[in-house]
């Protein structure tokens, strides 16, 4: 299709019209020119295709589909191949259902456990979120349907989500809130990007030219179209200039007319409009020219796939005395409504009309498992009778497995959680069961961290997250050891909410939320504070044991333009096949810059049979060592010795190797009379010029040795003199040089060092 020619045949009104939706889910057709309407649907962990009554909050029924595990779960797999497979399956169903774009993945950073949509997001870590997202996108798009990575950007709360401004410095945006999008654009070129509802530093994402054009397109190379989140368009004309191509759903024609008027009034360059139209049409035709509506959609096969995936995501948080896996011959009590009615997805626009579910109770048929309800999730209560029934079932069983978690109303799109606790009735139930059965296991269904006041009283905890429609099957397989758990936490579980770095400022004041913790999100904060956490980022147990050894680097010194390979040997030292998740963190050298202790820069998932060893290699490049330098307005590597740490979690890093990295880019410096000696002397070239000047500059309090009185020697040592000098601005030479330094000399010196 010759898109440019097509655009030349379109009227201004047709072009403006194309830049908003036909209805809730379709782009507009231009019939006279053969431009078809195309359909988009949520997303991300399955299809929410609505046929008639449309809404964007998951209120009205959509077609029957397969609900895969949500991103909170899939991120914990640390398995890029697995999530690619899930993407392929979703891509096939899109082809079958004639959908051009699935609205996801959602990659916003988990700044606080309170965000109502955390269950839809991958991680507190941008590298992990980016790698999982890129792989999902590659999977979906391998089927010739598009994705819409969302919500760009800094959309980490639901509170006042359509008006709030996320105010953060550029380094924080670049290092924490952008990289998941950046990695995805660079590694998987999503067909579309969905801009967020919120403002960023005062400007709505939907009209933010810096965000949507300068960064997304010019810097990262994004080629597709940007669509608004549903209702995120404020000033439509500004949006066109910013590069926000498609308004969804639509403004009933109001904004289309504003576009036309602005062009006619000479306030909007028609060329800007043409660019938006071209980007939309490119994707419309990329889909229609590759549509394969006869692609089969085998829902039963996808149900089975979703069970396999869910099992790979579960995180075994605790397993005292190897209580898990359970033995088939054991008498087991399943306690808690979620065992029979699993909570397997969150509320809002990602809510899928699952064609079937498998609960743990159903999956355990044929085993010695009894079930009691324990609590009622809908009215969030546990009666005395329910607790008494649970206690007697627990007493009669060798192992009591309590299925707990957050009821639907606790976390959803549209509002935030109010606290980090499980329902009180469930905590009470767990305590009551643990009182009578020393072999108590807790299975959790939740989309983000919860406090565990009973943690020392139970033997095991299995975090099953919101594991999709087959989560019950997956849970039983993991509990009974058919699948060896291999998930690792993609987020820290703090001990209590107030430990979280955003605690003081989360939600903000009115329409302004300051991201005051800066880059110290998640483990970047807990590690810097050396704080005890309930479970650290990256943590996850297995029914076997792994040993990490022999970390070697391809070089002990590199430039920031080189790559470095780190290789580690992982061995299964236990007696079961299992999957290890080696994680590589980079620790920057001590320096003036305030940086996290360590940052995740590599991870892998490897299956090992008992006794088997494998080498795993990671490639590190400039970005593995860099921070965002606001003066350079670019990534920068400080010269120094970096530690490469490898192990099984952010707090279990037995291996360390050092590499000297030389930064090849100098940060431009400019000195003036207020520059302090320490900063000037830290710059080797300036220090050289400065040397002859130092003694005279400090003559008043630092006379030559032979002239010093005994009292002076006692009062101020050379070291102290030097320390005082450090923080002195250059101009103070006039005051402290005992008349030896003139203003002209200072200016001449500045000239020389600034050259
Ligand atoms: C959500 C998006 C979703 C859209 C369409 C919005 O409310 O924020 O994630 O894709 O609705 O349902």
């Amino acid at each position: 299709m010759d898109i440019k020619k097509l655009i030349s045949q379109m009227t201004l009104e047709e072009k403006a019209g194309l830049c908003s939706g036909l209805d809730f889910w379709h782009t507009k057709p231009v019939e006279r020119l053969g431009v078809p309407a195309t359909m988009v649907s949520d997303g991300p962990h399955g299809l929410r295709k609505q046929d008639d009554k449309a809404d964007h909050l998951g209120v009205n029924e959509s077609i029957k589909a397969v609900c895969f595990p949500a991103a909170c779960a899939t991120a914990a797999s640390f398995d890029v191949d697995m999530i690619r497979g899930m993407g392929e399956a979703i891509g096939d169903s899109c082809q079958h259902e004639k959908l051009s774009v699935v609205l996801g993945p959602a990659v916003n950073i988990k700044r606080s456990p309170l965000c109502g949509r955390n269950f839809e997001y991958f991680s507190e870590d941008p590298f992990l979120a980016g790698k999982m997202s890129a792989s999902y996108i590659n999977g979906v798009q391998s089927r010739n349907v598009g994705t819409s990575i969302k919500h760009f950007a800094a959309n980490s709360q639901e509170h006042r989500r359509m008006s709030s401004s996320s105010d953060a410095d550029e380094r924080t945006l670049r290092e924490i809130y952008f990289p998941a999008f950046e990695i995805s654009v660079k590694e998987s070129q999503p067909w579309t990007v969905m801009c967020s509802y919120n403002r960023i530093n005062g400007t709505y994402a939907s009209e933010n030219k810096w965000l949507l054009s300068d960064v997304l397109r010019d810097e990262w190379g994004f080629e597709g179209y940007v669509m608004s989140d549903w209702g995120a368009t404020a000033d439509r004309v500004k949006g066109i200039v910013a590069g926000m191509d498609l308004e969804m759903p639509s403004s009933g024609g109001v904004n289309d007319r504003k576009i036309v008027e602005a062009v006619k009034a000479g306030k909007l360059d028609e060329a800007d409009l043409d660019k938006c139209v071209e980007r939309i049409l490119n994707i419309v035709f990329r889909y229609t020219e590759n549509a394969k509506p006869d692609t089969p959609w085998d829902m039963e096969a996808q149900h089975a796939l979703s069970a396999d995936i869910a099992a790979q995501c579960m995180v075994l948080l605790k397993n005292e005395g190897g209580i898990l896996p359970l033995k088939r011959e054991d008498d087991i009590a399943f306690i808690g409504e979620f065992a029979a009615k699993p909570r397997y997805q969150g509320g809002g626009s990602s809510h899928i009309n699952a064609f079937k579910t498998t609960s743990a109770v159903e999956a355990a048929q044929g085993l010695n498992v009894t079930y009691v309800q324990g609590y009622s999730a809908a009215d969030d209560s546990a009666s005395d009778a329910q607790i008494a029934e649970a206690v007697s079932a627990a007493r009669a069983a060798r192992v009591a497995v309590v299925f707990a978690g957050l009821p639907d109303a606790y976390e959803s799109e549209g509002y935030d959680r109010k606290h980090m606790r499980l329902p009180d009735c469930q905590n009470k139930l767990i305590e009551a069961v643990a009182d009578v059965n020393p072999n108590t296991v807790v299975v959790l269904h939740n989309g983000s961290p919860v406090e565990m006041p009973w943690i020392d009283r139970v033997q095991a905890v299995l975090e099953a997250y919101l594991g999709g429609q087959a989560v019950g099957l997956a849970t039983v397989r993991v509990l009974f050891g058919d699948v060896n758990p291999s998930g690792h936490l993609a987020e820290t579980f703090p001990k209590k909410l107030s430990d979280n770095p955003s605690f003081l400022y989360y939600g903000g004041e009115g329409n302004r939320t300051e991201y005051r913790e800066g880059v110290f999100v998640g483990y970047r904060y807990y590690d810097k504070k050396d704080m005890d956490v309930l479970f650290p980022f990256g943590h996850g147990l297995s029914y076997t044991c792994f040993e990490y050894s022999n970390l070697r680097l391809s070089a002990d010194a590199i430039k920031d333009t080189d790559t470095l390979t780190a290789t580690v040997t992982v061995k299964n030292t236990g007696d079961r096949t299992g999957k290890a998740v080696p994680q590589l963190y980079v620790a920057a050298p001590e320096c003036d810059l305030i940086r996290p202790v360590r940052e995740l820069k590599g991870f892998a998932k490897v299956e090992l049979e008992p006794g088997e060893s494998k080498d795993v290699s990671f490639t590190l490049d400039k970005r593995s060592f860099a921070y965002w330098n606001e003066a350079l307005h670019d990534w920068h590597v400080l010269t120094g010795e970096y530690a490469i740490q490898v192990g099984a979690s952010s707090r279990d890093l037995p291996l360390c190797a050092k590499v000297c990295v030389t930064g090849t880019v100098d940060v431009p410096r400019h000195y003036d009379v207020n520059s302090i000696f320490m900063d000037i002397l830290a710059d080797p070239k300036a220090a050289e010029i400065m040397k002859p000047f130092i003694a005279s500059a400090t003559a008043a309090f630092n006379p030559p040795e032979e002239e010093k009185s005994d009292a002076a020697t006692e009062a101020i040592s050379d070291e102290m003199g030097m320390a005082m000098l450090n923080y002195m601005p250059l101009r103070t030479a006039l005051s402290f040089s005992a008349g030896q330094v003139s203003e002209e000399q200072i200016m001449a010196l500045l000239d020389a060092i600034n050259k």
Side-chain angles (χ1 to χ4, degrees), residues 124 126 169-177 501 515-525 594-596 599 628:
E124 69 189 22
D169 57 78
E170 191 177 358
R171 184 175 159 212
T172 299
L173 293 172
R174 296 286 189 161
E175 292 188 20
I176 304 292
Y177 295 95
Y515 284 39
R516 290 203 192 176
E517 69 284 2
V519 299
F520 294 100
V521 174
Y523 68 87
R524 285 169 169 75
Y525 172 81
I594 300 170
R595 286 184 85 169
E599 298 181 85
W628 181 261

Side-chain angles (χ1 to χ4, degrees), residues 24-25 40-44 48 50 55-58 102-104 106 117 120-121 148 150-151 155 158 161-162 194-197 227-231 248 348-350 413-414:
F24 246 79
W25 304 117
V40 303
S41 271
D42 288 302
R48 185 173 72 93
Q50 288 187 318
D55 72 273
H56 67 303
L57 290 175
V102 63
L103 303 175
R117 284 184 97 167
E120 265 184 88
Y121 301 151
S148 193
K150 65 191 186 183
H151 312 85
N155 184 186
E158 289 299 280
R161 65 173 174 156
M162 296 190 176
M194 188 191 293
C195 74
S196 55
Y197 284 126
M227 69 173 88
S228 70
D229 198 346
W230 269 233
M248 285 305 278
S349 62
S350 69
E413 176 178 339

Side-chain angles (χ1 to χ4, degrees), residues 629-699:
N629 183 295
E630 298 207 359
L632 277 178
H633 203 71
D634 200 356
W635 297 96
H636 182 245
V637 173
L638 282 171
T639 298
E641 190 180 62
Y642 290 75
I644 311 298
Q645 305 171 336
V646 178
S649 94
S650 63
R651 294 256 170 117
D652 175 14
L653 296 166
L655 305 180
C656 180
K658 301 272 174 80
V659 59
C660 286
V661 185
T662 305
T664 55
V665 176
D666 283 335
V667 181
R669 278 172 220 186
H670 184 84
Y671 304 99
D672 60 26
V673 288
N674 293 317
S675 301
I676 61 173
F677 279 85
M678 183 167 112
D679 291 342
I680 304 173
L681 294 175
D683 172 349
K685 282 181 207 145
E688 203 43 47
I689 301 171
M690 200 65 174
K691 241 193 225 152
F693 177 75
I694 293 179
S696 40
T698 57

